[in-house]
Amino acid sequence: MRIPEHRRPSAYYILIILAVVILFIVTSYQYKITDRMFPLMVGYVAVPLLLLDLLALTDSKIGEKISVFFSAKTPKEVDEDADPTKRTLGQELLIFLWMGALVLGIYLIGFLPCTPVFVYCWMKYRGGYSVKESAYLAIGTIVFVYVLFELILQYELYPGIFLYWYG
Amino acid sequence: MFEALIEGIVNLSSPHSLMLLAAGSVVGLLFGAIPGLGGTTAVALLIPLTFGMEPWQAIILMGGVMAATSTGGSISAILLNTPGIAPNAATTFDGYPLAQQGKAGMAIGAGATASALGGVIGVISLVAVIPIMKAIVLLFTPPEFFMLAIFGLCAIAVSSGDRLLQGLITAIIGLMVGFVGYYDVTSTVRYDFGIPLLEDGIKLVPALIGLFAISEMINLAVKGGSISESASDVEISRISDGVKSVFKNWSTMVVGSGYGTFIGAVPGVGGTVAAFLSYSTQAQRDPTPDIEYGKGNIKGVIAPESANNAKDGGSLIPTLAFGIPGSAETAVFLGVLVLHGIEPGQKLLEDHQDLVFTLVVALTVSAVFATLVVLGLAKYMALLTRISVHMLIPTVTVIALVGAFALNTEIGDVVIAFIFAFIGYFMIRFNYPRVTFTIAIVLGSITELSFHQSMLISDDDMSIFYTRGLSIFLLFLTILSLAFPTFRRKMKERKLAKEEAEQ
């Protein structure tokens, strides 16, 4: 009973959820019975379902039976219907880094400087647009954000932790 | 009720309200037409704009968005064979062949008119149900509420296509997320892991913004390319023929609207199932069509389009009466209501009937307005689907994060949105339904509260859930919904065996 190579990312995903559920169950025991009763019931239902989901990924008879029982499809049919987009880990990590940099940038220097920088860099380096096109969209976005949120709705946008420290 | 209706009309008749409605409808049309965005993303993104508004103004804006999304989605379904949102998928079967035959205008005219009329029928059904909704809600005590929430979650899990197991897992994880933070029954803070940000629980709005708006952008970024590669240089003419065809085939439209309203009222099942069922029923009702279905039959456009717009009225029935959302869009809309201090259920139906009718009027006017816009600007809207993802991703991401921050002006909310964006992305990546997750988060506290209240009433006797008439009925529905995939599989096997025997 083994999990084929192409289904392993799904298996890792299930294992991560399983770890979270186990952490949830263990944590539940530190609360009073009234506080933990319903969450524990829910947690304990999750464990067998996750194990079944994991088993359904294997190329075994039982895996096929579970898959067919819950989805009316064999694991092979599920594979055929899967999103054909090729996603590499490197590609995903790169996008996560871009998004992480944006959130870190917002935390450090605030929304107003970070917004045009992020839009410009994305357009220029990921979209391959010219300096002029990238600058236009960056300026357009920051003007939209500033006018809508700061002027019309009168929110004070987060200025960044640096400004808090030095301001 | 009549007074509340008048108040709803008055609320909508000021120029400011009409502007809000028009803005909501335009945003709904645009987000509906651009594949990958959709109404839920639009509603989530617009939430921060409603903070300073009166509740009825927020309802008008959101009503505008919800009623217009599927009308916008029909444009890309017909012109590009790419449904703007999932409920428009059935429209591609005959809409796209019509476009290929040079009858795109006719298909768009029929789709938009069927959408408007379907939307109006859905809303009329909602109005018809409102007087009895109060009486029905009064039948529900905590055990029935608990069973209804469980039925809602199971129905939503089952509706997640062929992934029942994943649907159930997602529902459970969503409930767990709903348990995080302060539990007011026992005044305890739970599952916060010492993180101050989690003490008050996961805030719904930043979580939804991350789960729908930003995760879609991450997904688009990973996939790359433009939203639609197909050319949309299609001649759009004969729109009036399409409009007329709906009136000529009025029974198709009425049956489709009936499907939409009825199926929309079942939590989680939503417009996609309604549209497909409406389409297949139409094909069965018409065994010898002039033009074969799937090859450009105009009734194949009218049936799904009337159903997917009528579902808006239907899906609001459980949302307004019980606080159990009928779809992801209404789950986010429920977040808007809660944000403005409006509690769904008996109180809403008794004390805020004006708001319910404001929503009713907004949905009706928006359905018609969106149709007029589509009929006038179809050609230009089609161009939207060719926007490069590299223009969309940075702008939508930044605006979504600003919106998440604006709720409480707390930078922690940006982090919540960011974390949920990744959770949402992985759910897309591994095909786990985000709709079930969202609805479970919303239902988490209601479910636990009803469970505790039931235990108090029964002195910790679990039999309270299966010894009362309505509870038994809801339990039966839950079992029925869970058995549905097996039933469907058996039917499929039987059909295959029959086909093999005939060969």
Side-chain angles (χ1 to χ4, degrees):
Chain A
M1 197 191 301
R2 55 182 285 281
I3 297 171
E5 188 84 34
H6 65 282
R7 285 189 215 140
R8 284 197 192 148
S10 301
Y12 299 140
Y13 181 70
I14 295 168
L15 287 173
I16 291 171
I17 302 177
L18 189 61
V20 172
V21 170
I22 290 169
L23 178 69
F24 178 88
I25 291 173
V26 172
T27 310
S28 298
Y29 280 102
Q30 73 184 54
Y31 304 119
K32 284 182 292 183
I33 182 97
T34 333
D35 290 321
R36 69 172 186 237
M37 185 157 59
F38 190 62
L40 263 183
M41 279 167 62
V42 170
Y44 277 121
V45 174
V47 175
L49 289 177
L50 283 161
L51 292 175
L52 284 173
D53 202 11
L54 201 60
L55 271 175
L57 293 175
T58 59
D59 57 358
S60 60
K61 274 261 178 262
I62 185 142
E64 191 166 322
K65 275 188 179 160
I66 292 167
S67 192
V68 170
F69 183 80
F70 282 104
S71 70
K73 282 181 180 174
T74 62
K76 208 178 154 198
E77 283 173 322
V78 172
D79 287 344
E80 282 165 6
D81 290 347
D83 180 4
T85 313
K86 291 260 176 282
R87 298 164 198 260
T88 63
L89 188 64
Q91 217 179 5
E92 287 175 324
L93 277 177
L94 191 65
I95 303 299
F96 298 167
L97 276 176
W98 272 92
M99 296 295 171
L102 170 66
V103 173
L104 185 67
I106 291 169
Y107 179 70
L108 294 176
I109 58 170
F111 280 104
L112 292 179
C114 210
T115 297
V117 172
F118 177 74
V119 176
Y120 177 85
C121 291
W122 186 285
M123 288 277 288
K124 179 86 183 70
Y125 301 108
R126 282 209 58 85
Y129 284 87
S130 69
V131 171
K132 215 161 125 186
E133 287 170 322
S134 309
Y136 281 155
L137 192 72
I139 293 167
T141 310
I142 190 59
V143 168
F144 176 78
V145 167
Y146 182 75
V147 169
L148 183 66
F149 288 94
E150 287 257 6
L151 295 184
I152 298 176
L153 299 172
Q154 299 192 323
Y155 292 119
E156 197 186 321
L157 290 179
Y158 183 68
I161 198 82
F162 284 155
L163 212 70
Y164 273 133
W165 284 345
Y166 300 108
Chain B
M1 191 171 115
F2 188 68
E3 279 170 19
L5 177 64
I6 298 290
E7 207 165 328
I9 295 169
V10 170
N11 278 344
L12 197 76
S13 55
S14 74
H16 183 235
S17 303
L18 288 171
M19 263 175 60
L20 279 176
L21 185 82
S25 303
V26 170
V27 171
L29 279 173
L30 299 183
F31 275 65
I34 301 173
L37 291 185
T40 315
T41 308
V43 176
L45 267 179
L46 287 180
I47 291 175
L49 302 188
T50 71
F51 297 159
M53 290 180 189
E54 290 295 322
W56 57 270
Q57 291 173 322
I59 283 175
I60 289 172
L61 182 71
M62 295 305 173
V65 177
M66 291 195 294
T69 319
S70 49
T71 311
S74 66
I75 301 269
S76 34
I78 291 165
L79 293 181
L80 307 168
N81 203 21
T82 310
I85 53 171
N88 297 116
T91 309
T92 59
F93 298 160
D94 283 281
Y96 188 61
L98 277 165
Q100 284 177 316
Q101 293 160 23
K103 296 176 187 166
M106 188 183 174
I108 289 173
T113 311
S115 290
L117 295 174
V120 173
I121 290 177
V123 169
I124 290 172
S125 313
L126 173 66
V127 174
V129 172
I130 287 173
I132 56 165
M133 260 176 8
K134 261 193 288 182
I136 296 172
V137 172
L138 286 174
L139 293 175
F140 282 70
T141 58
E144 285 80 25
F145 260 110
F146 177 76
M147 289 312 298
L148 183 67
I150 298 294
F151 164 63
L153 283 172
C154 290
I156 294 154
V158 171
S159 71
S160 46
D162 290 316
R163 315 269 295 169
L164 173 62
L165 198 49
Q166 288 76 4
L168 290 172
I169 290 169
T170 313
I172 286 172
I173 305 298
L175 284 176
M176 286 177 175
V177 172
F179 296 145
V180 173
Y182 184 75
Y183 183 45
D184 44 11
V185 172
T186 55
S187 306
T188 315
V189 176
R190 301 176 302 178
Y191 311 104
D192 65 327
F193 302 101
I195 303 166
L197 192 65
L198 300 178
E199 278 175 13
D200 289 333
I202 303 280
K203 288 182 193 116
L204 192 61
V205 175
L208 293 177
I209 288 175
L211 208 54
F212 288 97
I214 307 175
S215 67
E216 284 294 352
M217 294 305 112
I218 296 175
N219 190 38
L220 282 175
V222 174
K223 285 167 88 172
S226 65
I227 288 176
S228 171
E229 305 288 349
S230 318
S232 58
D233 302 324
V234 188
E235 185 67 25
I236 297 179
S237 56
R238 296 178 61 195
I239 286 181
S240 60
D241 287 351
V243 177
K244 280 179 210 159
S245 71
V246 178
F247 294 99
K248 213 171 121 190
N249 299 295
W250 62 271
S251 66
T252 305
M253 188 270 298
V254 171
V255 172
S257 305
Y259 267 107
T261 309
F262 183 72
I263 292 166
V266 182
V269 180
T272 313
V273 177
F276 275 98
L277 265 179
S278 173
Y279 181 87
S280 57
T281 306
Q282 176 54 39
Q284 282 164 8
R285 283 175 66 217
D286 193 9
T288 50
D290 300 335
I291 302 164
E292 213 177 302
Y293 285 92
K295 293 192 173 166
N297 190 322
I298 198 71
K299 290 181 205 164
V301 174
I302 297 169
E305 279 305 307
S306 50
N308 67 30
N309 255 41
K311 70 105 184 37
D312 290 335
S315 67
L316 281 168
I317 295 172
T319 312
L320 299 177
F322 303 106
I324 293 180
S327 62
E329 222 168 83
T330 45
V332 185
F333 176 68
L334 195 64
V336 179
L337 292 182
V338 173
L339 195 72
H340 285 271
I342 304 163
E343 207 181 305
Q346 197 191 339
K347 253 186 158 181
L348 172 68
L349 298 172
E350 274 177 359
D351 303 342
H352 298 290
Q353 268 209 4
D354 55 323
L355 293 179
V356 175
F357 278 94
T358 303
L359 178 63
V360 162
V361 179
L363 285 173
T364 313
V365 177
S366 176
V368 178
F369 176 78
T371 296
L372 294 176
V373 173
V374 166
L375 294 179
L377 301 173
K379 176 82 180 172
Y380 305 101
M381 285 186 65
L383 295 175
L384 275 172
T385 58
R386 290 195 287 179
I387 287 181
S388 159
V389 292
H390 292 299
M391 292 172 90
L392 213 57
I393 293 164
T395 44
V396 172
T397 306
V398 166
I399 293 167
L401 287 175
V402 175
F405 171 78
L407 173 65
N408 299 306
T409 55
E410 265 184 35
I411 192 68
D413 289 349
V414 173
V415 178
I416 297 271
F418 181 66
I419 292 168
F420 273 81
F422 284 95
I423 294 174
Y425 170 73
F426 284 111
M427 294 181 86
I428 299 172
R429 166 90 155 82
F430 294 108
N431 208 2
Y432 283 72
R434 285 174 301 163
V435 179
T436 320
F437 186 63
T438 309
I439 294 177
I441 296 175
V442 175
L443 287 182
S445 55
I446 306 171
T447 317
E448 189 177 16
L449 182 66
S450 335
F451 178 79
H452 266 164
Q453 288 171 335
S454 307
M455 289 294 99
L456 283 173
I457 295 169
S458 68
D459 214 4
D460 288 342
D461 184 1
M462 289 273 195
S463 68
I464 195 166
F465 297 118
Y466 53 85
T467 47
R468 299 153 71 103
L470 194 52
S471 296
I472 294 172
F473 176 66
L474 289 164
L475 182 65
F476 172 71
L477 285 182
T478 308
I479 295 167
L480 208 65
S481 69
L482 289 173
F484 181 69
T486 311
F487 171 73
R488 196 172 47 185
R489 190 186 72 238
K490 293 276 176 211
M491 292 292 283
K492 196 173 144 187
E493 283 170 1
R494 190 180 289 182
K495 197 179 160 192
L496 278 174
K498 201 177 162 190
E499 278 172 8
E500 272 174 26
E502 277 172 6
Q503 281 169 5

